[in-house]
Amino acid sequence: MYEELALYIDGEFRPGSEGAGEHVINPATEEELAFLPHASKSDLDRALASAADAFKVWRDTSAYERSRILWTAGELIRERADAIGRTLTMEEGKTLAEAVLEVNVAADIFQWYAEEGRRAYGRLIPSRLPGTRQMVIREPVGPVAAFTPWNFPAVTPARKMAGALAGGCSCILKPSEETPGTAVAMTRALHEAGLPKGVLNLVFGVPAEVSEHLIPSPVIRKVTFTGSIAVGKHLTRLAADGMKRTTMELGGHAPVVVFDDVDVDKAATVAAGGKFRNAGQVCVSPTRFFVHEKVYGKFVKKFTEIASGMKLGDGLDTSVDMGPLANNRRVDAIDALVTNARSCGADVTTGGERIGNQGYFYSPTVLADVPDNARMMYEEPFGPVAPMQSWSDFDEVMEKANGLEFGLAAYAFTSSTQRATEVSERLETGLVGVNHCAISFAETPFGGVKESGYGHEGGTEGLDAYLTSKFVTQMNA
Ligand code: NAD
């Protein structure tokens, strides 16, 4: 049932040349799913050489042909969404419904970029000189090193692979070693769709060793990473030594500003849906709830009812609302944040504990009256916890919402168009959701400001990330 794991180098699925590797663990059962081979240094060098050779082939392949291959791969991923979704649930823990949806979104991303790659238009600029033509040509930036985390094993690699390949770049992808099967399955789809060898290489290993080998290589011209701020800064420093382009999708700590004019039950239901998706392990998860004092009590009550009514269990069980956390690190981290918030005076209205003695389960947790000095109010929680505070002054709540170094996503709930406009203009984030939490689509730009990173994935911006502009001025001889 679980995907057969392998490296993919120079167009071949293969084990690592030195036999090293690790076991992939099912977070719901703590059982070993499969052995994941690690790439040795010589495997990485082979991937680099292959990506360099393939870049020459792929950049000269017509945009039409590139589009055909990406579209076909998207079609294959969509056909296999149920099977790939099971692999995803087994390795990451999210519910099967969320997993299958994520795989379908990944297919959508491949097909959207299949189309968009055919529209990587340059432009003609009116010339100052007679007999001269001034052209801007869009060219692929070069071979890409891409690093993705464990929380969205389908969508995050898909964004990077599809953007890079649609732009004419070759790519070496290192997905998370904790959730490798989904990326292997998508790579098989690209292989079967006819991707020329070396255009995509898939490697696994010790993350720091792989990134420190790939990023300084003269072959690599672009680095893209999704993950924590600390690692993002480290990889940016490595890339800076070679003046390599970077896209950094880092952590967030999304404020949710609830006004007094909302339908409280509806707002709490929508916000709780966003909060507990993937057990809160989402970089755009709503994480700091600022609720107007007039509706605060009712909002906390409704949110608590929803959280306490959720069924936890193995994500493969279709009656389950929330799966386990993806690894034991998160359970320890969330438990420590909740203990700290309690000691600061927060009131746990539901949850606040590990569940069972097998699997990495933590209860959906709501905390009322969480003071600003509680760690979870300024550290990214990345788990199923919803800390709440009430507010009465709009300027003060905006100051709190914008007061951290994070700047990825923010949300607001109001029935007033004027307030919606004002709050979305004042929030210092790359993404704002007003009255709903769906802020990521293939065709829309996704990215943060401040320490949440820079650059975009998704939308036309996600293709621009893999292109450079060359200016050519040509005079009649
Ligand atoms: P971590 O910082 O150890 O790792 C984050 C990701 O970076 C993992 O996928 C890991 O494999 C990779 N990584 C780590 N060191 C690397 C290196 N030197 N080179 C290349 N890749 C490297 O943390 P973690 O325990 O896996 O995750 C916890 C934190 O990471 C969360 O609290 C959250 O802030 C952040 N995170 C963010 C996202 C996101 O979507 N932005 C996703 C997952 C995790």
Side-chain angles (χ1 to χ4, degrees):
M1 271 207 312
Y2 185 70
E3 184 71 30
E4 194 179 323
L5 301 180
L7 308 174
Y8 180 66
I9 297 174
D10 203 30
E12 282 177 20
F13 290 91
R14 55 168 72 190
S17 62
E18 290 176 7
E22 64 189 283
H23 286 100
V24 181
I25 305 296
N26 181 334
T29 61
E30 297 182 47
E31 283 164 3
E32 285 176 6
L33 289 167
F35 179 76
L36 173 71
H38 281 187
S40 64
K41 286 213 162 65
S42 67
D43 292 328
L44 295 177
D45 286 338
R46 197 137 178 224
L48 284 163
S50 177
D53 288 345
F55 176 56
K56 294 177 200 137
V57 175
W58 192 239
R59 77 174 170 207
D60 292 338
T61 302
S62 72
Y64 182 84
E65 175 63 5
R66 294 199 294 247
S67 169
R68 192 190 62 74
I69 292 170
L70 288 178
W71 183 273
T72 307
E75 216 50 15
L76 291 172
I77 291 167
R78 203 182 300 284
E79 277 168 18
R80 298 168 190 176
D82 287 345
I84 303 175
R86 290 183 81 80
T87 285
L88 199 164
T89 292
M90 280 191 269
E91 62 188 11
E92 202 270 349
K94 67 182 61 173
T95 64
L96 191 57
E98 281 184 53
V100 172
L101 175 66
E102 185 185 336
V103 176
N104 277 309
V105 170
D108 190 27
I109 290 169
F110 275 104
Q111 295 191 325
W112 194 82
Y113 276 102
E115 290 299 319
E116 197 61 11
R118 303 192 321 170
R119 292 190 271 273
Y121 303 135
R123 64 191 199 275
L124 282 177
I125 298 175
S127 175
R128 295 185 181 206
L129 305 169
T132 306
R133 193 161 277 178
Q134 302 192 138
M135 297 167 271
V136 179
I137 300 170
R138 306 287 277 150
E139 293 185 338
V141 66
V144 175
F147 303 89
T148 55
W150 40 263
N151 58 336
F152 283 92
V155 158
T156 314
R159 276 189 181 141
K160 296 184 193 304
M161 292 193 275
L165 270 45
C169 299
S170 57
C171 179
I172 304 178
L173 173 69
K174 191 205 79 61
S176 167
E177 285 69 25
E178 290 173 315
T179 56
T182 306
V184 173
M186 293 195 298
T187 300
R188 285 191 203 286
L190 283 157
H191 177 79
E192 289 169 36
L195 193 72
K197 70 175 185 175
V199 174
L200 174 68
N201 295 274
L202 185 70
V203 298
F204 300 98
V206 175
E209 290 174 11
V210 177
S211 54
E212 277 157 36
H213 194 85
L214 294 182
I215 295 174
S217 163
V219 168
I220 297 301
R221 295 311 324 160
K222 157 105 197 182
V223 177
T224 172
F225 171 75
T226 300
S228 59
I229 291 175
V231 175
K233 287 181 179 176
H234 172 62
L235 301 191
T236 303
R237 286 186 200 108
L238 285 178
D241 275 341
M243 292 307 290
K244 298 176 187 193
R245 296 244 315 251
T246 52
T247 296
M248 291 287 147
E249 298 284 356
L250 308 179
H253 203 335
V256 184
V257 180
V258 181
F259 289 83
D260 59 356
D261 59 5
V262 293
D263 173 336
V264 180
D265 283 359
K266 189 174 165 197
T269 304
V270 171
K275 172 69 256 178
F276 296 114
R277 185 167 73 102
N278 196 21
Q281 304 162 110
V282 183
C283 51
V284 296
S285 181
T287 42
R288 294 179 289 147
F289 291 80
F290 300 110
V291 185
H292 194 278
E293 61 181 8
K294 284 194 189 148
V295 293
Y296 180 70
K298 199 173 168 199
F299 187 91
V300 172
K301 185 165 175 282
K302 178 69 182 175
F303 207 101
T304 302
E305 272 170 28
I306 294 168
S308 60
M310 290 179 77
K311 182 176 172 193
L312 260 67
D314 187 331
L316 290 179
D317 173 349
T318 51
S319 69
V320 154
D321 298 311
M322 192 178 97
L325 303 194
N327 53 57
N328 214 19
R329 299 189 303 286
R330 295 273 25 98
V331 180
D332 290 342
I334 296 302
D335 210 34
L337 289 176
V338 171
T339 303
N340 168 268
R342 271 197 173 111
S343 74
C344 294
D347 175 21
V348 177
T349 64
T350 185
E353 57 190 3
R354 294 164 187 253
I355 303 287
N357 54 11
Q358 188 191 44
Y360 311 134
F361 292 96
Y362 199 91
S363 51
T365 300
V366 182
L367 301 101
D369 306 338
V370 184
D372 291 338
N373 64 336
R375 276 175 45 210
M376 71 168 68
M377 291 307 285
Y378 55 88
E379 285 179 27
E380 183 182 21
F382 226 66
V385 290
M388 313 225 169
Q389 281 185 8
S390 66
W391 64 274
S392 54
D393 182 87
F394 181 59
D395 287 327
E396 269 173 34
V397 78
M398 280 295 102
E399 213 161 289
K400 281 195 181 185
N402 292 330
L404 302 183
E405 71 273 23
F406 302 96
L408 186 56
Y411 304 91
F413 288 85
T414 175
S415 57
S416 151
T417 310
Q418 191 178 326
R419 282 175 166 166
T421 305
E422 187 175 1
V423 75
S424 56
E425 282 175 3
R426 292 218 7 210
L427 285 163
E428 295 168 5
T429 54
L431 304 155
V432 177
V434 180
N435 294 326
H436 74 141
C437 299
I439 54 175
S440 171
F441 301 94
E443 62 274 23
T444 56
F446 184 95
V449 297
K450 295 158 84 176
E451 292 208 4
S452 293
Y454 48 78
H456 288 95
E457 298 189 305
T460 53
E461 290 87 345
L463 184 65
D464 289 344
Y466 297 97
L467 298 172
T468 61
S469 293
K470 180 186 276 178
F471 173 57
V472 178
T473 176
Q474 183 176 307
M475 191 177 272
N476 292 340

